[in-house]
C-alpha cells in the first residue's frame, strides 16, 4: 500500500473568479496527485469583514488588473471565464449568500454533487453572466448538475435554517483561523496543503520533498503545488 | 536568423522581497528564453502613493501571510531570503530611496553592473538583515559586486542630482502608466500586445514568452 493521500482543503466562494480557477486546477489534479480534495464552501464577504481587508476591485488599478488577469488565466487554464457586464453590481450588491448556503447544505446532504453544483453556479455568474441569487437560478444550476427538481427544492428550503447558516459561518471562521503558526487568511480561495504543479504544456522536473502544511492564497503559490506530488521525480504537466 | 527576442521589462525595488524573487527567476531564464530583459529600478513608495494602494504588510493577516509566503518561495526558488528582525522599521521607516537612486545612476553609467549591484543590495537587506540606507552600506554592496571604490563613490555623489532624481521619477511613472499598484511588475512586449504581470502571481504564464520550442525543460535552477 502506498503513502496516505494528503488532505487538500479548498475554501471558496462562487462569487470569486479566482476561486473558480483554483477549483478547476485542483479538480483536474485530484486524481493524478496523491491527495484528498475537500471542498469547503465559504463566504468571501465574511472573510473580508473578519480580516479588515478590502476587495481588490475597490482600488481602481487593481480592478483593471483583475479584469485582465482573470481573462488571461481563463485562457491559459481553459476555463470559460467572462466578466459580468455589471461587474460591481454583481459582486457588491448581489453577492452570493444564498448560493453559498445552498452549497453548504449540498455538502451536508449530497457531497457527491458539490463539485458539479459549484461548477454550474460559476458557469452562471462567471461565464454566462446570469443571476445566482434568485431561487429559480439556484434550482436551475442544481438541475443542470444532475439533481432532481424535488431534491433541489428540498435543499433550497433549508438554506435559512440555523443549521445551514451556522455551518457556513463555521467554515468561514475556520478559513479565518487556518494556517500553521496561526497564519490567518484574508481572501479566498485559499488552499491548505502544500504542493501543486503548473498546468503548462511542458515537462517539469521537480524534486519531491516533504513540506509542512501551509496556506496558499489564490493561485499565488501554485507553482509550488507540485511538492505535494509524491509519485515520481518527474511531473508531466499537461495542459488539462 | 530566428525570431527577434521579446522585450521583458522588470520594474523593481530592492525594498520588495517579491521583486528579488521575480528578478532571480528572470535572470535565470533570460539566456534560455528568447527574451531581452530590461531591468528598471523603480520606487515602490512612489507606486503606492500614486495608486493609493497600501502595502500588504499594513493588514495584519496579510503581513503574516507575506512572511510565510516569502519564506516558502525563497526555499522553492533557492533564494536565501530571511526576514529582517525589525521588518516594519526596515520597510516603512528606513525605505530605499538612496539605494534606488544609486541603481538609477548605475543603470545610466554602468548598466552591465546593474544586475550584480541590485543582487548585493537585496542580499544586504533581505538575506543578512543589513542596512542599505547609509552611504557606506551602498558602497559596500557596490564593491562586493565588483565596482572599484572610486567608481562607486563617483556614482554615489550623483544620487541627489536632478538628472538622477528625475530618472527614478520617470521610471516610477512609467510603471504607473502600465497600471502598477505594487512591485514587482513585469511588462512583456509581444508583437502588438503588452502584458503587465504583477509580482510572481502569473509566473506560470511566463512560458508564453518562450518561443524556442513547444517543450520547456524547466529545471530547478
Amino acid at each position: 500500500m502506498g503513502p496516505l493521500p494528503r488532505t487538500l482543503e479548498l475554501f471558496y466562494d462562487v462569487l470569486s473568479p479566482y476561486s473558480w480557477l483554483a477549483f478547476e486546477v485542483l479538480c483536474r489534479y485530484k486524481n493524478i496527485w496523491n491527495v484528498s480534495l475537500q471542498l469547503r464552501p465559504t463566504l468571501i464577504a465574511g472573510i473580508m469583514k473578519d480580516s479588515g481587508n478590502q476587495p481588490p476591485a475597490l482600488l481602481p488599478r487593481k480592478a483593471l488588473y483583475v479584469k485582465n488577469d482573470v481573462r488571461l488565466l481563463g485562457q491559459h487554464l481553459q476555463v470559460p471565464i467572462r466578466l459580468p457586464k455589471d461587474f460591481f453590481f454583481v459582486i457588491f450588491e448581489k453577492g452570493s449568500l444564498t448560493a453559498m448556503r445552498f452549497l453548504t447544505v449540498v455538502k451536508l446532504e449530497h457531497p457527491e454533487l458539490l463539485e458539479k453544483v459549484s461548477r454550474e453556479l460559476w458557469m452562471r455568474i462567471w461565464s454566462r453572466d446570469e443571476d445566482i441569487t434568485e431561487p429559480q437560478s439556484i434550482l436551475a444550476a442544481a438541475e443542470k448538475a444532475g439533481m432532481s427538481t424535488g431534491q433541489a427544492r428540498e435543499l433550497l428550503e433549508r438554506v435559512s435554517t440555523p443549521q445551514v447558516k451556522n455551518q457556513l459561518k463555521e467554515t468561514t471562521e475556520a478559513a479565518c483561523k487556518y494556517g500553521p503558526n496561526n497564519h490567518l487568511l484574508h481572501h479566498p480561495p485559499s488552499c491548505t496543503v502544500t504542493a501543486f504543479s503548473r498546468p503548462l504544456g511542458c515537462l517539469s522536473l521537480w524534486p519531491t520533498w516533504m513540506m509542512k502544511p501551509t496556506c496558499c492564497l489564490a493561485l499565488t503559490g501554485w507553482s509550488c503545488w507540485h511538492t505535494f506530488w509524491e509519485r515520481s521525480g518527474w511531473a508531466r504537466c499537461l495542459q488539462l
Side-chain angles (χ1 to χ4, degrees), chain A residues 146-164:
Chain A
M147 268 186 154
S148 72
T149 312
Q151 257 182 333
R153 276 194 202 284
E154 198 191 305
L155 295 187
L156 198 55
E157 275 160 25
R158 290 176 53 191
V159 297
S160 297
T161 59
Q163 184 202 21
V164 174

Side-chain angles (χ1 to χ4, degrees), chain A residues 97-198:
Chain A
L97 183 59
T98 310
M100 295 319 296
R101 284 177 176 166
F102 185 76
L103 290 179
T104 299
V105 69
V106 169
K107 184 175 163 83
L108 288 169
E109 302 300 334
H110 293 285
E112 72 286 358
L113 290 173
L114 181 57
E115 180 183 329
K116 287 190 172 180
V117 181
S118 301
R119 184 174 286 117
E120 288 308 326
L121 285 167
W122 268 307
M123 286 294 291
R124 285 188 71 90
I125 175 178
W126 283 103
S127 197
R128 300 191 299 269
D129 196 5
E130 293 170 356
D131 173 74
I132 59 159
T133 60
E134 298 296 325
Q136 282 310 115
S137 310
I138 296 175
L139 288 176
E143 285 163 25
K144 219 172 160 84
M147 268 186 154
S148 72
T149 312
Q151 257 182 333
R153 276 194 202 284
E154 198 191 305
L155 295 187
L156 198 55
E157 275 160 25
R158 290 176 53 191
V159 297
S160 297
T161 59
Q163 184 202 21
V164 174
K165 286 182 177 184
N166 288 337
Q167 181 60 65
L168 180 57
K169 262 193 201 134
E170 276 173 32
T171 307
T172 305
E173 279 164 8
C176 288
K177 289 196 175 89
Y178 223 106
N181 308 317
N182 266 335
H183 286 179
L184 309 174
L185 304 180
H186 55 90
H187 197 296
S190 36
C191 246
T192 57
V193 169
T194 39
F196 317 60
S197 169
R198 303 178 306 164

Side-chain angles (χ1 to χ4, degrees), chain A residues 15-41:
Chain A
L15 199 62
S16 155
Y18 289 104
S19 284
W20 190 13
L21 296 164
F23 168 91
E24 292 297 353
V25 172
L26 289 175
C27 286
R28 290 169 192 175
Y29 281 91
K30 68 180 179 189
N31 297 322
I32 300 176
W33 290 333
N34 190 25
V35 297
S36 160
L37 179 61
Q38 312 286 324
L39 297 176
R40 305 205 62 184

